[in-house]
Amino acid sequence: MTVSAHRKVVTVLFCDVVGSTALGESVDPEALQELLARYFERMSAIVESHGGLVEKFIGDAVMAVFGVPVAHEDDALRACRAAVEMRDALPELRLEGRIGVNTGEVLAGTAERLATGDAVNVAARLEQTAEPGEVLIGAETLGLVGATVGVGEERLLELRGKSESVSAYPLCAVLEMPERSHKMRFVGREREMQQLADVWDRALSGPRCELVTIVGDPGVGKSRLVAEALRRIGARVVRGRCLSYGEGITYWSVVEVVKQLDAVPSDQQAAAAIRSLLRESDVTAGTDEIAWAFRKLLEEQAPLVVCFDDIQWGEETFLELVESTALLSTRGPLLLLCMARPELLDRRPSWPVTLRLEPLREEEAGELVGDTVPEDIRRRIVRASGGNPLFLTEMLALASESAEVEVPANLRALLAARLDQLDRAERAVLERGAVEGELFHRGTIQALIPEEIEVTPRLAALVRKELVRPDRPQLPREDAYRFRHLLIRDAAYEALPKATRAELHRRFAGWLEIHGEELVELDEILGYHLEQAARYLDELGRPDPEVALAAGDRLAAAGRRALAREDDRAAAHLIERALALTQPLVLDVHLELDLALAHGGDPRKALSISNTTIERAAAAGDATGEALARVAAAVHAEELGLAGPGELEVLVQAVLPRLEEAEDHRGLGVAWGALAYGVANVRGQWGQMAQASEKAIRHSRLLGVQRNFALGAGLVNGPTPADEALLRMDGLAAEFPPPIWLLCRAWLLAMLERFNEAWPLAHEQTERLRELSGGRSQFGQWFLGEIAILAGDQEDAARRLRILCADMEEHEAFAQLSTYAPWLGRVLWGLAEYEEADALADKGRELGDPQDATTQMLWRQVKALVRGSAGQHQEAGRLAREAVAIADGTDGLRFQGDAYSDLAEVLEAAGRRDEAVAAWSEALDRYEHKGIIPLARRVRERLATLQETRI
């Protein structure tokens, strides 16, 4: 019988005669020939009686394969039975032999061999190692046959060609296991369904959002339970699933839900974030903004049940979105109903699990099978299933199709047996669908089997056989189908030879590139399929650089898009996959530095990646790439206190001409961004920070990337007058998403004494920032505190800055705390809380970077004010003048004005009125040039008071 080539799990048997050389010396040649003929005939008959095929005779040895051309669910047990019968038959032939049996994946059905692979070699080695009259079976075989055989003690064998020891077991006997009888149909689960109904009632009565996670093994009935419960609840339901392939596809299931709802939130900013998610706009929304907008959408669609399936495959960002939705949604009845395999809890041990779905009890399993099969078959199905509904239904389907069917030893063997019962055309359709994934489209099949003219009838047959079911398509003008169980998909896919998989993945990617233009995460999906093709070709020793580079390009594009929306974890994973494909072929300094940026939360790792890029660029003779990588390394080193702004500036100035000559916009964005963050910001040169940010933005725009590079902070803190800075921000508002951009705007409004506009905007965006961060970020309190200072409400400012500093302390954000602690101390000094103010100044001094201008002047200002209040005027004056000197080294007019104001306070306390007047005048000059109306007015009032005192 001829069969097409497939990868499949088979059991291989080798039997050889012991002492055949000596036998040849003592037996007449004709008699020996007749004896060996009887031996081959008897061994072949035994093999074939158990459903095996004799591959060939090798000298005195017989090689047989069980599972080719058609797999049976009990091939391993059949091989063991044949081996025992062969062993027992040898003495009747007056021969002594030894037998080896092993199970494993092989390439089966080629023109040359029934089976090719390591499993064959191991079976031969087991036979050679066995004692005369002994059968040795491998661990994989024993795992399949389990308690149906009796074996001796394990032996660890050192086999030729194997790097590790191989476990083997002497096969003593095949046993008859007692069978238990149980009644059998979908049954039970009443307690679980009542729990789900109760949760929905709580959501309705709240109204509130409830999160339910059902965890169970594959096939245990999670989806069936949910379907039954939702039918009883009668609620509106939308569904999404996490894909088992293409890590880094963060929002696939979220996009599915949004598309089913076919709506956007009423809030304009939330609607913009949803459109960004759907790739319907050029704006890039961040992960927190997407989570916030998704919550808004669900709340407006409530009451609603959102089902997420297979969340064990979800990216961390997706899991955080689910958690934040459950915690923060309070404006309507929502039920987040998640299904997951136990692997979820390996990744996230603290994930809240409502239901752990266990296998059915034996009586329930018996009821589920019913009376559609003979009693003996039913008993075997119930016993072998272990209460797993998937095992039950698959075995029942198999038994219904063939009266000869045996009960499978495990699900993999069962599914392989079902697939082998399909005709060749139906199986080809199923396998091509498996290449696309759990859900596949009719167009995929036609593209991958262009010669097949009856695709629709084949699909209809697969639906009738309950292997697939119709589903909602992801592509326009297409019909879609979903595998009834993901394990069916896996079995169909794994049967394909790797060479076939590679070709089909490549061809599918080509088809999808044309037909999947509307897919939100097209790059991720195309990257995955091309990556699979490249990986299989590499494993086969036929690497294809063109495929690998194409896969890398797609994954890199997806990674950079994730980086733009600040989804750093997904970005890192996607870029790592891209580099794994492309690094052996080309040097891409920019992509490697993007990977370092994605690991920015771990400066040490980011620095390590950058240093490795330096070495690779140097080895490749790419001097410009090496210089750019040194810039990136210096940025990360500065974050660790291992480098300073001077060193970084030298590196940037050296590489800028090369980048400009090459018109390397991506590199120029990195270089100018480094000047903005790592040089100008640290030195307090916020005007330069704004200028460098604008240049970085310009180069990023040319690449279609949106990043603001802290332009807002540069405009607020730098020398640009507040009214002019506000106009510039308003002109750029459409390009940069809130809330930080709008919080900076609120701060400028407060400088201009437009508090009726500043307060509501700041409160709104602070709340939005908190929501976007899932309730984690308190950074908005900083802006509210600044507005309170400008409004003259020191009590409110202190309260807000206390919240901010406590949050930074809790999260060990010590670099930021070094600045904000003395800032709080300055406010507390104004409230006469001198002891605490002094302690906060000390904290800034201890934690602060010596080259951080803002921190260094702030702690000195607070110390000076506290010392002046205590009568330590000389020390106070020294510290205040040091702070002024640092401030004058910056271009921050607000900071300069504050430093001069604090010096004036110290001088007044020391009775040095004329010097105080001069200091107040310097402060007024700075405030007026910046246009900070409230502070300028207060200084004028102080000057007027001093002038009156002099008269």
Side-chain angles (χ1 to χ4, degrees):
M1 178 184 295
T2 61
V3 294
S4 58
H6 281 89
R7 295 179 71 92
K8 62 194 321 183
V9 175
V10 302
T11 300
V12 182
L13 181 153
F14 273 88
C15 175
D16 195 9
V17 174
V18 176
S20 59
T21 302
L23 190 64
E25 294 178 352
S26 60
V27 179
D28 181 82
E30 291 186 26
L32 177 60
Q33 182 179 9
E34 185 177 340
L35 175 61
L36 291 177
R38 291 199 307 272
Y39 157 71
F40 289 132
E41 182 180 359
R42 181 69 183 278
M43 297 301 106
S44 297
I46 293 173
V47 167
E48 291 168 3
S49 71
H50 289 282
L53 282 181
V54 174
E55 161 85 13
K56 60 183 176 180
F57 302 114
I58 309 170
D60 301 329
V62 176
M63 174 189 168
V65 183
F66 293 79
V68 175
V70 177
H72 306 92
E73 65 284 353
D74 59 348
D75 279 319
L77 182 58
R78 294 180 182 211
C80 288
R81 285 175 174 157
V84 169
E85 189 173 341
M86 294 165 77
R87 179 195 65 191
D88 294 343
L90 285 170
E92 299 174 12
L93 297 170
R94 292 179 296 156
L95 294 173
E96 192 174 34
R98 55 195 178 198
I99 300 172
V101 179
N102 188 54
T103 303
E105 188 177 50
V106 300
L107 183 63
T110 63
E112 299 81 14
R113 300 281 300 276
L114 285 179
T116 304
D118 186 59
V120 178
N121 299 330
V122 172
R125 300 288 182 270
L126 292 179
E127 175 266 308
Q128 295 163 8
T129 307
E131 298 293 332
E134 184 178 58
V135 177
L136 278 183
I137 66 174
E140 293 82 1
T141 304
L142 180 61
L144 287 169
V145 297
T148 60
V149 301
V151 296
E153 292 186 3
E154 177 187 18
R155 296 180 194 169
L156 292 178
L157 306 178
E158 302 296 331
L159 300 183
R160 180 164 53 89
K162 302 294 290 183
S163 59
E164 297 181 359
S165 299
V166 173
S167 294
Y169 303 84
L171 176 63
C172 302
V174 176
L175 308 175
E176 291 297 329
M177 298 297 293
E179 297 179 356
R180 294 177 293 176
S181 175
H182 300 284
K183 246 183 131 176
M184 226 182 144
R185 210 172 349 157
F186 174 83
V187 296
R189 310 296 197 202
E190 289 298 327
R191 178 181 61 83
E192 291 88 347
M193 285 194 287
Q194 186 59 50
Q195 283 182 264
L196 295 178
D198 291 343
V199 171
W200 179 238
D201 288 340
R202 288 201 302 272
L204 290 172
S205 61
R208 57 194 286 185
C209 180
E210 294 283 347
L211 171 61
V212 170
T213 304
I214 303 171
V215 172
D217 291 328
V220 79
K222 301 184 291 294
S223 299
R224 180 66 187 276
L225 168 65
V226 167
E228 192 71 17
L230 292 177
R231 183 182 64 79
R232 298 189 186 185
I233 288 173
R236 181 188 179 198
V237 181
V238 289
R239 305 173 188 275
R241 80 193 190 286
C242 297
L243 297 183
S244 61
Y245 60 81
E247 294 100 335
I249 300 183
T250 303
Y251 292 112
W252 180 269
S253 54
V254 177
V255 169
E256 283 190 304
V257 168
V258 171
K259 287 186 174 180
Q260 289 169 53
L261 292 174
D262 194 25
V264 295
S266 58
D267 182 284
Q268 291 184 357
Q269 294 172 350
I274 293 297
R275 291 191 181 96
S276 170
L277 174 68
L278 297 175
R279 305 279 296 280
E280 294 177 357
S281 72
D282 294 329
V283 175
T284 300
T287 54
D288 290 337
E289 190 173 14
I290 289 171
W292 166 76
F294 185 67
R295 289 198 299 274
K296 293 293 184 187
L297 176 61
L298 296 187
E299 288 170 352
E300 292 180 5
Q301 297 293 319
L304 184 68
V305 178
V306 182
C307 288
F308 286 123
D309 202 1
D310 287 326
I311 69 168
Q312 74 276 354
W313 288 317
E315 289 289 325
E316 285 298 318
T317 299
F318 166 76
L319 296 177
E320 289 172 0
L321 177 146
V322 173
E323 287 182 310
S324 67
T325 301
L327 288 171
L328 301 176
S329 294
T330 58
R331 299 175 184 173
L334 293 170
L335 172 58
L336 302 181
L337 190 50
C338 300
M339 290 164 275
R341 295 184 182 183
E343 293 90 329
L344 172 69
L345 301 183
D346 294 336
R347 287 176 52 197
R348 299 286 294 268
S350 61
W351 186 269
V353 175
T354 305
L355 292 175
R356 288 180 178 269
L357 205 58
E358 300 297 333
L360 294 172
R361 297 192 301 273
E362 287 183 350
E363 60 269 26
E364 295 171 334
E367 185 180 352
L368 178 59
V369 173
D371 58 0
T372 58
V373 293
E375 179 64 20
D376 62 333
I377 296 294
R378 181 173 64 183
R379 286 198 304 268
R380 293 176 184 176
I381 289 175
V382 171
R383 184 189 67 197
S385 71
N388 185 300
L390 175 58
F391 275 72
L392 287 166
T393 55
E394 290 297 324
M395 284 187 284
L396 182 59
L398 189 57
S400 300
E401 294 170 7
S402 173
E404 300 287 327
V405 70
E406 295 277 343
V407 178
N410 62 28
L411 185 56
R412 186 176 183 186
L414 166 66
L415 293 173
R418 281 210 72 188
L419 295 181
D420 273 359
Q421 290 185 8
L422 297 174
D423 69 41
R424 188 174 301 179
E426 290 174 358
R427 178 161 187 162
V429 167
L430 200 68
E431 290 169 345
R432 270 61 181 175
V435 171
E436 180 174 356
E438 185 183 2
L439 182 140
F440 62 93
H441 297 84
R442 184 193 179 282
T444 300
I445 307 301
Q446 195 66 72
L448 298 184
I449 321 178
E451 67 277 9
E452 176 59 71
I453 61 174
E454 296 185 347
V455 170
T456 299
R458 307 294 185 204
L459 288 167
L462 294 172
V463 171
R464 286 195 302 272
K465 294 179 179 180
E466 296 188 342
L467 290 167
V468 302
R469 63 174 185 268
D471 208 303
R472 183 173 53 85
Q474 297 287 345
L475 302 175
R477 299 174 297 280
E478 278 288 347
D479 294 327
Y481 299 84
R482 185 184 297 276
F483 283 89
R484 193 159 60 88
H485 296 294
L486 183 61
L487 296 179
I488 296 175
R489 180 265 168 190
D490 292 345
Y493 179 79
E494 290 167 5
L496 291 167
K498 289 184 178 180
T500 304
R501 293 182 207 173
E503 176 60 17
L504 292 176
H505 277 295
R506 186 190 62 77
R507 287 167 55 191
F508 172 70
W511 179 83
L512 186 65
E513 188 170 11
I514 298 171
H515 295 84
E517 293 179 348
E518 296 183 12
L519 287 176
V520 172
E521 290 175 309
L522 181 62
D523 283 328
E524 288 91 328
I525 298 171
L526 288 178
Y528 165 78
H529 286 283
L530 291 169
E531 176 187 35
Q532 294 298 97
R535 181 168 64 85
Y536 288 129
L537 289 172
D538 192 58
E539 290 177 6
L540 293 168
R542 295 155 40 194
D544 188 326
E546 184 177 342
V547 173
L549 290 172
D553 286 346
R554 289 289 184 172
L555 293 172
R560 282 169 168 151
R561 192 162 54 250
L563 195 60
R565 67 172 183 256
E566 299 179 3
D567 189 355
D568 290 345
R569 282 169 295 196
H573 189 78
L574 287 161
I575 294 173
E576 283 167 356
R577 288 166 57 198
L579 288 171
L581 292 161
T582 62
Q583 274 185 336
L585 303 170
V586 296
L587 172 66
D588 189 338
V589 169
H590 294 124
L591 190 59
E592 295 188 23
L593 297 184
D594 282 340
L595 177 60
L597 184 61
H599 285 290
D602 183 354
R604 293 191 184 280
K605 185 165 187 177
L607 177 59
S608 175
I609 293 170
S610 300
N611 285 334
T612 300
T613 305
I614 292 170
E615 295 172 2
R616 285 172 44 76
D622 182 355
T624 302
E626 179 186 356
L628 184 62
R630 291 189 184 279
V631 168
V635 171
H636 301 303
E638 186 180 65
E639 294 171 358
L640 295 166
L642 302 176
E647 177 184 347
L648 177 57
E649 184 177 30
V650 169
L651 291 170
V652 172
Q653 295 299 343
V655 77
L656 276 174
R658 294 180 178 180
L659 297 172
E660 289 169 353
E661 182 180 356
E663 297 184 355
D664 183 349
H665 299 296
R666 196 175 299 278
L668 286 164
V670 171
W672 285 111
L675 280 179
Y677 282 114
V679 179
N681 182 47
V682 174
R683 290 175 173 171
Q685 298 297 325
W686 289 286
Q688 294 179 16
M689 181 182 184
Q691 293 171 8
S693 294
E694 287 183 323
K695 290 182 179 179
I697 290 166
R698 180 169 61 83
H699 290 292
S700 296
R701 282 180 185 148
L702 293 172
L703 297 169
V705 177
Q706 278 188 314
R707 294 181 64 193
N708 68 37
F709 293 94
L711 176 58
L715 291 173
V716 169
N717 292 317
T720 305
D723 54 356
E724 182 182 332
L726 183 63
L727 287 174
R728 290 178 67 183
M729 288 199 73
D730 287 347
L732 294 168
E735 296 189 40
F736 301 122
I740 296 297
W741 188 258
L742 292 183
L743 283 168
C744 288
R745 184 179 190 276
W747 192 353
L748 288 171
L749 287 169
M751 290 182 183
L752 296 170
E753 214 167 30
R754 293 162 60 177
F755 292 110
N756 60 327
E757 300 172 67
W759 278 120
L761 180 60
H763 280 293
E764 175 189 346
Q765 296 305 316
T766 295
E767 177 61 20
R768 186 174 185 193
L769 180 60
R770 190 189 69 81
E771 287 191 354
L772 286 173
S773 67
R776 297 186 301 273
S777 176
Q778 297 291 349
F779 193 61
Q781 298 297 330
W782 159 243
F783 295 90
L784 290 170
E786 275 297 313
I787 295 171
I789 291 171
L790 293 170
D793 190 343
Q794 299 290 82
E795 293 281 356
D796 186 48
R799 178 175 65 85
R800 297 188 181 281
L801 291 175
R802 283 188 195 277
I803 294 171
L804 178 65
C805 290
D807 182 69
M808 289 177 173
E809 188 95 49
E810 178 184 351
H811 292 93
E812 298 183 352
F814 297 129
Q816 293 90 339
L817 183 62
S818 69
T819 299
Y820 295 105
W823 204 292
L824 170 60
R826 187 170 182 268
V827 175
L828 293 177
W829 173 85
L831 296 171
E833 297 182 29
Y834 302 134
E835 184 175 346
E836 186 178 357
D838 192 50
L840 289 167
D842 285 337
K843 182 165 290 189
R845 178 171 58 181
E846 293 165 5
L847 297 176
D849 186 325
Q851 300 186 76
D852 183 344
T854 306
T855 296
Q856 293 305 318
M857 63 183 170
L858 274 173
W859 74 257
R860 286 176 169 84
Q861 288 170 240
V862 178
K863 280 285 186 184
L865 292 169
V866 172
R867 295 292 179 270
S869 299
Q872 301 173 24
H873 302 304
Q874 184 175 355
E875 177 67 7
R878 181 185 67 80
L879 289 167
R881 293 187 187 281
E882 287 181 3
V884 165
I886 296 172
D888 279 342
T890 76
D891 64 2
L893 295 176
R894 160 67 186 280
F895 293 102
Q896 292 173 8
D898 287 350
Y900 276 107
S901 293
D902 294 346
L903 174 60
E905 295 281 5
V906 167
L907 292 170
E908 274 197 63
R912 299 163 69 174
R913 187 178 59 182
D914 291 342
E915 293 177 69
V917 169
W920 282 120
S921 298
E922 293 288 347
L924 178 60
D925 177 70
R926 297 333 190 258
Y927 291 147
E928 286 182 337
H929 274 85
K930 182 64 181 176
I932 309 176
I933 296 173
L935 298 185
R937 185 178 60 255
R938 287 172 211 163
V939 172
R940 290 194 200 95
E941 291 171 356
R942 291 294 294 270
L943 282 170
T945 300
L946 285 174
Q947 293 293 341
E948 291 172 3
T949 303
R950 177 183 297 176
I951 295 171

